[in-house]
């Protein structure tokens, strides 16, 4: 008896010594870890809707399970069309009144209330109204039918094609719920490097099974299509968009799809890009191709997302090509076509200027494509919070029709041609228990959803919410981790490619540095030297009027700023200019020294992140703590690898010492050149 007493006393003493009781976690709950403690107190009533409405019932159920505030009345009022997918929330006495024009609006409102609860936020006295910035808020999965994911770093695909449509993994519904909780309302299931197979009847039944799961969450399914499908699958002799048999094939395919999935969203198309087929194979234009598909989808209200990521090895500066290709087609696309434009003119680099196409083509609907999967940002090993990158692009002033025409204003629902608006991101999700490989990569999925819902939110606010819901609201954790997240993207830019450098990545896998990379006879526009142009004079790509003239694709007011070495923002200097090693930067350093300082700064930042993280051990669960700790170690090692590789390689051109106050290289350049990682894939 005494020893039992002693055990309990010890246990109590132990518990008292642990400042915060933490529960075991594996990250699978994402930001939806609603506390089970404390009884839900309120009652939830619905007015104006039917009990057969699965979405409404879901809104009610989520609140009944997790809401601990006052009674809630959910009112569906179809007349409130101006709210679109949005809602109004007001407090009346001791009740919360929610109004929406669509049932999904009430579901979004339920998640809003739960977010307020978990982050200790308040409903403002005057109430709140939320209307989403974009109509279509969509994830693009680059998932292949064999379960692999192109540029996926969080395990295999969620979609178990071999089990569908008969067996439904419980993760399908969890996935839909997570998306809806942040406002995402659409998903493209498969890779833009698309297999025609997916359009076969047997696969469409599988797609239907997923669409049936997602429907009550308000999520629509889209598919990437292969432009040659009529030829590959349908026994048509060509896939020429002006050929009537081809048009007929797409019309009947659309009919077949909508017969199975009445709310099917539409098609995403990568055409005549990186070896994919397209209308140009038949001497037709991108508009001809897009319009044929748009016509097939129009009777059912479907949309075509036509990607602008098009470039050819033999042509001009790669950064100019999408603009050259598409601007002449302005005004030629059907109403239900949206041109899907990557945020930068090259390819999801750690930093790029905004894509000039976004400020051009005033008579064409355009949308942004971001990348959540960290193809060029350390895969799921590096902690890089992407909201600052997204905001940088959204807030960029294009100067189209005068100052203040930001990318967000030109692409979101503020008077955008009166057509549907959209924003996309390449997903970073896979079968890993924590969904995204790195616990902090969940924040990028979260941030994309939140910004797609409201592009006015700040990176700070989004980080704050995410940390509180995903980890803890304890101030001693929230503040330092928020700071760390906010600094993480700039740190990655610094240790990988500062000052506007880009595409210094190793061939194929894009993980580590290979500024020396060269494959004799390979495509020059897939080689790092094509981008950095290091020589005995200096470094950088001359895109001014004396060079490739890419700068002239921007509005003249911007062209002037970017094109002049003394006004070009330094974080884009080597993107637009070939700069001599001894050029004086704003800091007073020469370009060479500044480059060294920036690389070093990136490394020092990640070392600091490690220290910050180690202090957090007491506030969170052991398992997520040690996962992140281990990944930060990898990140620091990689940062040193990047710095040593790039600085020693560029030093062979600058022929100047690394400033003596900086940490010295520890790796031999010759050894770094021998590193070959066993990861597949082209360019
Ligand atoms: C899906 C980059 C990637 C490719 C990707 C392509 C695209 O080139 O490396 O893996 O292909 O972009 O966005 O189409």
């Amino acid at each position: 008896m005494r020893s039992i007493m002693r055990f309990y006393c010890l246990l109590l003493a132990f518990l008292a010594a642990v400042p915060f009781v933490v529960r075991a976690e594996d990250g699978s709950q994402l930001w939806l870890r609603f506390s089970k403690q404390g009884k839900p107190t309120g009652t939830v009533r619905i007015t104006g809707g039917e009990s057969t409405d699965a979405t409404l019932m879901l809104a009610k159920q989520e609140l009944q399970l997790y809401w601990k505030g006052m009674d809630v009345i959910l009112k569906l009022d179809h007349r409130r069309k101006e709210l679109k997918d949005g809602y109004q929330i007001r407090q009346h006495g001791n009740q919360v009144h929610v109004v929406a024009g669509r049932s999904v609006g009430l579901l979004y409102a339920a998640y809003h209330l739960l977010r307020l609860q978990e982050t200790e936020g308040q409903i403002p006295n005057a109430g709140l109204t939320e209307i989403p910035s974009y109509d279509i808020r969509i994830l693009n999965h680059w998932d292949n039918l064999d379960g692999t994911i192109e540029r996926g770093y969080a395990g295999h695909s969620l979609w178990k094609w071999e089990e569908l449509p008969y067996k439904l993994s419980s993760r399908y519904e969890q996935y839909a719920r997570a998306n809806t909780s942040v406002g995402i309302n659409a998903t493209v299931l498969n890779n833009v490097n698309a297999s025609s197979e997916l359009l076969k009847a047997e696969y469409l039944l599988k797609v239907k099974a997923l669409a049936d799961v997602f429907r009550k969450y308000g999520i629509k399914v889209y598919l990437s299509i292969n432009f040659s499908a009529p030829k590959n699958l349908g026994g048509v002799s060509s896939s020429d968009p002006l050929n009537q048999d081809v048009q007929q094939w797409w019309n009947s395919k659309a009919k077949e799809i909508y017969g199975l999935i009445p709310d099917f969203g539409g098609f995403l198309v990568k055409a005549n890009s990186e070896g994919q087929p397209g209308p140009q194979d038949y001497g037709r234009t991108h508009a001809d191709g897009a319009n044929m598909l748009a016509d097939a989808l129009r009777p059912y209200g479907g949309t075509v997302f036509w990607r602008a990521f098009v470039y050819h090895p033999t042509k001009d500066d790669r950064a100019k090509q999408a603009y050259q290709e598409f601007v002449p087609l302005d005004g030629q696309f059907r109403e239900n076509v949206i041109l899907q434009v990557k945020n930068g003119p090259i390819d999801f680099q750690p930093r790029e200027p905004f894509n000039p196409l976004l400020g051009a083509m005033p008579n064409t609907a355009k949308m942004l494509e971001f990348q959540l999967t960290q193809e060029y940002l350390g895969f799921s090993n590096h902690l890089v919070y992407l909201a600052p990158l997204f905001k940088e692009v959204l807030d960029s002033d294009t100067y189209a029709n005068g100052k203040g025409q930001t990318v967000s204003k030109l692409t979101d629902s503020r008077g955008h041609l009166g057509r549907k608006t959209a924003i996309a991101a390449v997903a970073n999700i896979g079968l890993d228990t924590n969904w995204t490989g790195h616990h902090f990569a969940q924040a990028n999925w979260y941030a994309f959803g939140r910004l797609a819902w409201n592009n006015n939110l700040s990176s700070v606010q989004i980080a704050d919410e995410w940390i509180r819901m995903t980890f803890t609201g304890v101030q001693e954790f929230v503040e330092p981790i928020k700071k760390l997240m906010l600094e993480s993207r700039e740190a990655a830019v610094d240790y990988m490619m500062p000052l506007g450098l880009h595409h210094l990545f190793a061939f194929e896998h894009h993980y580590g540095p290979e500024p020396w990379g060269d494959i004799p006879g390979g495509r020059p526009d897939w080689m790092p030297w094509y981008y950095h142009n290091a020589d005995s004079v200096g470094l950088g790509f001359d895109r001014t009027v004396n060079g490739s003239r890419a700068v002239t694709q921007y509005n003249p007011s911007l062209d002037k700023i970017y094109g002049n070495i003394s006004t070009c923002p330094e974080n884009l200097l080597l993107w637009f200019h070939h700069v001599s090693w001894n050029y004086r930067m704003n800091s007073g350093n020469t370009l060479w020294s500044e480059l060294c300082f920036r690389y070093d700064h990136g490394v020092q930042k990640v070392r600091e992140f490690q220290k910050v993280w180690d202090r957090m051990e007491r506030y969170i669960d052991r398992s997520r703590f040690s996962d992140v700790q281990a990944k930060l170690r990898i990140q620091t090692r990689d940062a040193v690898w990047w710095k040593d590789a790039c600085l020693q390689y560029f030093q062979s051109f600058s022929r100047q010492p690394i400033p003596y106050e900086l940490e010295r290289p520890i790796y031999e350049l010759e050894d770094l050149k021998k590193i070959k990682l066993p990861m597949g894939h082209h360019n």
Side-chain angles (χ1 to χ4, degrees):
M1 190 64 188
R2 199 183 286 155
S3 65
I4 292 177
M5 285 288 287
R6 202 165 54 214
F7 170 76
Y8 278 113
C9 287
L10 276 173
L11 185 67
L12 279 177
F14 170 74
L15 287 177
V18 177
F20 301 95
V21 180
V22 285
R23 59 193 212 223
E25 305 253 9
D26 56 13
S28 60
Q29 305 282 99
L30 297 159
W31 48 87
L32 297 166
R33 298 159 54 258
F34 307 126
S35 159
K36 308 269 180 325
Q37 282 153 19
K39 260 200 157 158
T41 50
T43 61
V44 183
R45 271 199 300 128
I46 293 184
T47 67
E50 304 287 330
S51 60
T52 49
D53 182 331
T55 306
L56 270 187
M57 290 307 112
L58 194 57
K60 183 173 176 181
Q61 180 191 317
E62 290 285 30
L63 290 172
Q64 280 176 332
L65 281 173
Y66 304 111
W67 174 247
K68 291 166 196 135
M70 45 186 73
D71 293 357
V72 182
I73 299 182
L74 300 175
K75 180 173 174 193
L76 183 60
D77 182 349
H78 293 294
R79 290 166 308 177
R80 302 293 304 272
K81 292 201 177 10
E82 81 289 358
L83 290 174
K84 299 183 167 183
D85 281 351
Y87 47 84
Q88 268 179 347
I89 302 180
R90 269 178 226 293
Q91 208 171 302
H92 277 295
N94 55 1
Q95 288 181 328
V96 178
H97 286 211
V98 182
V99 186
R102 302 173 183 164
S103 23
V104 75
L106 294 175
L107 183 55
Y108 291 131
Y111 290 117
H112 190 129
L113 287 174
L114 293 172
R115 184 166 57 242
L116 285 179
Q117 169 177 291
E118 300 297 302
T119 57
E120 290 169 27
Q122 302 282 336
I123 303 170
N125 287 340
L128 60 88
T129 303
E130 295 261 329
I131 300 173
S133 301
Y134 303 88
D135 300 317
I136 305 171
R137 307 171 291 278
I138 189 164
L139 285 182
N140 290 184
H141 288 269
W142 285 356
D143 294 20
N144 300 314
L145 294 185
D146 65 2
T148 58
I149 304 182
E150 182 154 348
R151 312 304 184 183
Y153 316 108
H156 269 230
S157 171
L158 290 181
W159 325 130
K160 306 231 171 188
W161 296 110
E162 66 293 351
E163 296 178 359
L164 284 162
Y166 307 110
K167 186 160 178 267
L168 297 173
S169 151
S170 59
R171 290 194 91 174
Y172 301 153
E173 189 155 349
Q174 293 165 19
Y175 162 85
R177 179 173 181 247
N179 279 323
T180 305
S181 74
V182 291
I184 293 169
N185 68 349
T187 181
V188 182
L189 297 177
N190 62 316
N191 193 352
V192 286
N193 292 328
S195 154
S196 301
E197 297 286 296
L198 198 55
L199 292 179
K200 280 186 170 168
E202 63 192 90
Y203 270 102
L204 291 177
L205 287 174
K206 299 168 191 272
V207 173
K208 171 187 161 45
L210 289 172
D212 289 346
V213 175
F214 299 162
R215 185 164 297 110
K216 70 174 171 186
Y217 288 90
I219 293 179
K220 284 191 183 178
V221 162
Y222 291 68
L223 294 178
S224 296
I225 57 105
N226 183 301
F227 201 80
S228 285
K231 201 169 152 188
N232 297 347
L233 283 187
V236 186
S237 61
S238 104
S239 293
D240 179 350
L242 299 193
N243 174 319
Q244 284 192 349
D245 292 341
V246 173
Q247 294 167 355
Q248 193 42 48
W249 189 89
W250 283 111
N251 291 345
S252 56
K253 191 46 82 178
K255 189 166 176 205
E256 181 187 349
I257 297 175
Y258 281 93
L260 293 168
I261 311 167
D263 56 354
F264 179 71
F267 296 142
L268 168 63
V269 194
K270 172 176 179 177
N272 294 119
S273 162
E274 299 185 332
Q276 291 300 311
Q280 292 179 337
D281 303 348
Y282 305 93
R284 314 299 183 196
T285 68
H286 284 279
D288 294 331
N291 291 344
M292 169 194 62
L293 295 169
D295 289 344
L297 296 174
R298 192 173 28 207
Y300 316 96
T303 302
V304 173
F305 304 124
W306 192 268
R307 292 179 91 225
F309 179 68
V310 172
Y311 63 104
H312 301 280
T314 48
K315 292 203 182 152
D316 215 344
D317 176 2
R318 172 172 167 187
K320 288 166 68 180
Q321 294 184 34
Y323 183 102
Q324 290 170 332
E325 188 85 49
F326 285 94
V327 167
L329 303 176
D330 188 26
Q332 293 185 27
F333 292 93
R334 298 277 193 269
E335 289 250 319
N336 57 334
V337 175
I338 310 182
L339 201 60
Q340 181 166 318
V341 183
K342 285 190 183 182
N343 62 269
I346 299 283
D347 192 9
F348 302 132
Q349 298 300 293
R351 171 167 276 116
E352 299 192 34
F354 73 87
N355 194 321
L357 258 183
L358 293 162
M361 301 186 75
N363 303 308
T364 304
K366 298 170 298 281
M367 64 189 276
L368 269 169
E369 176 181 316
F370 287 123
Q371 191 183 45
L372 306 178
T373 192
Q374 291 169 228
E375 173 180 357
Y376 297 102
L377 283 161
F379 296 5
S380 53
N381 283 338
H382 293 200
L383 191 167
V384 185
Y385 172 54
L386 292 173
L389 185 162
F390 304 155
K391 288 295 283 184
E392 183 174 297
V393 176
L394 288 164
D395 294 345
S396 290
D397 195 342
T398 67
Y399 289 83
N401 300 322
K403 211 169 154 36
Q405 295 295 318
T406 57
V407 169
S408 58
K409 228 173 170 180
L410 290 178
T411 54
D412 71 17
S413 295
R414 287 174 278 182
H416 179 62
L417 298 176
R419 299 187 197 159
K420 273 191 195 153
T421 59
I423 188 164
V426 180
N428 58 353
I429 306 163
L431 273 180
D432 277 6
T433 305
N434 71 10
W435 300 83
T436 54
H438 197 305
H439 292 291
F440 277 78
Q442 297 177 355
N444 295 332
W445 178 9
Y446 183 89
F448 168 68
R450 296 288 288 131
L451 284 171
W453 181 268
N454 179 357
N455 58 18
N456 269 323
L457 292 175
S458 67
S459 305
V460 188
Q461 179 178 341
I462 296 170
D464 190 270
E465 289 174 1
W466 179 81
I467 296 169
R468 287 171 193 277
M469 291 196 285
T470 307
F471 287 106
T472 168
V474 173
Q475 240 9 54
E476 289 81 351
F477 183 89
V478 174
E479 291 310 321
I481 296 308
K482 196 159 57 186
K483 179 164 180 287
L484 181 160
M485 286 173 74
L486 291 167
E487 291 175 348
S488 61
R489 186 272 183 134
E490 211 56 48
V493 168
D494 279 348
Y495 64 70
M496 285 184 172
M497 34 202 97
L499 302 175
L501 284 172
H502 48 292
H503 230 309
L504 306 184
F505 294 95
F507 193 70
E508 293 187 332
H509 53 69
H510 299 164
Y511 186 73
E514 215 172 83
W516 52 84
D518 192 16
I519 295 183
R523 280 180 68 153
D525 56 350
W526 287 352
M527 302 303 156
W529 51 259
Y530 175 96
Y531 299 97
H532 65 63
N533 293 289
D535 57 23
S536 59
V537 178
L539 183 65
F541 199 132
D542 185 356
R543 294 193 163 107
T544 69
V545 287
N546 304 317
S548 83
R549 303 182 58 87
V551 73
T552 61
Q553 294 182 339
Y554 291 91
N555 184 280
S557 330
L558 255 187
D559 162 355
K560 247 194 267 153
I561 299 174
Y562 288 154
N564 180 340
I565 191 168
S566 54
T567 52
C568 180
E570 285 195 345
N571 62 14
L572 290 173
L573 193 66
L574 304 177
W575 183 283
F576 286 112
H577 298 269
H578 187 70
V579 181
S580 79
W581 294 113
N582 290 324
Y583 176 78
R584 285 277 155 212
M585 306 288 288
N586 292 336
S587 60
N589 290 329
T590 62
L591 169 68
W592 166 250
S593 305
E594 185 72 10
L595 193 71
C596 296
F597 276 107
R598 294 255 64 96
Y599 271 106
D600 187 77
H601 186 252
V603 170
Q604 300 314 325
K605 268 287 157 198
V606 194
R607 292 199 196 289
E608 189 186 309
F609 296 165
Q610 285 187 285
K611 292 184 197 156
V612 171
W613 185 253
D614 279 1
R615 289 202 187 93
M616 298 299 125
E617 187 165 7
R618 57 205 299 245
Y619 303 115
I620 63 162
D621 56 287
R622 170 130 288 284
S623 129
R624 288 187 301 171
F625 172 78
S626 51
D627 287 351
V628 173
Q629 185 183 49
K631 295 242 167 174
L632 282 171
R633 280 192 184 189
I634 300 175
Q635 186 171 358
T636 306
R637 283 201 294 269
D638 288 351
V640 176
W641 171 25
W642 270 96
K643 171 180 78 71
D644 284 4
C646 294
L647 285 185
Q648 292 184 97
Y649 173 72
F650 290 135
Q651 191 176 32
S652 67
F653 297 93
S654 80
R655 311 217 161 269
Q656 298 186 32
I658 291 171
Y660 297 111
E661 61 265 52
L662 298 184
E663 175 179 306
R664 316 318 291 164
I666 52 173
Y667 296 116
E668 304 295 330
L669 183 57
E670 289 316 306
D671 291 339
L672 296 178
K673 285 187 179 176
K674 286 185 209 135
I675 296 178
K676 287 277 167 253
L677 298 179
M679 307 178 194
H681 200 70
H682 69 82
N683 63 311

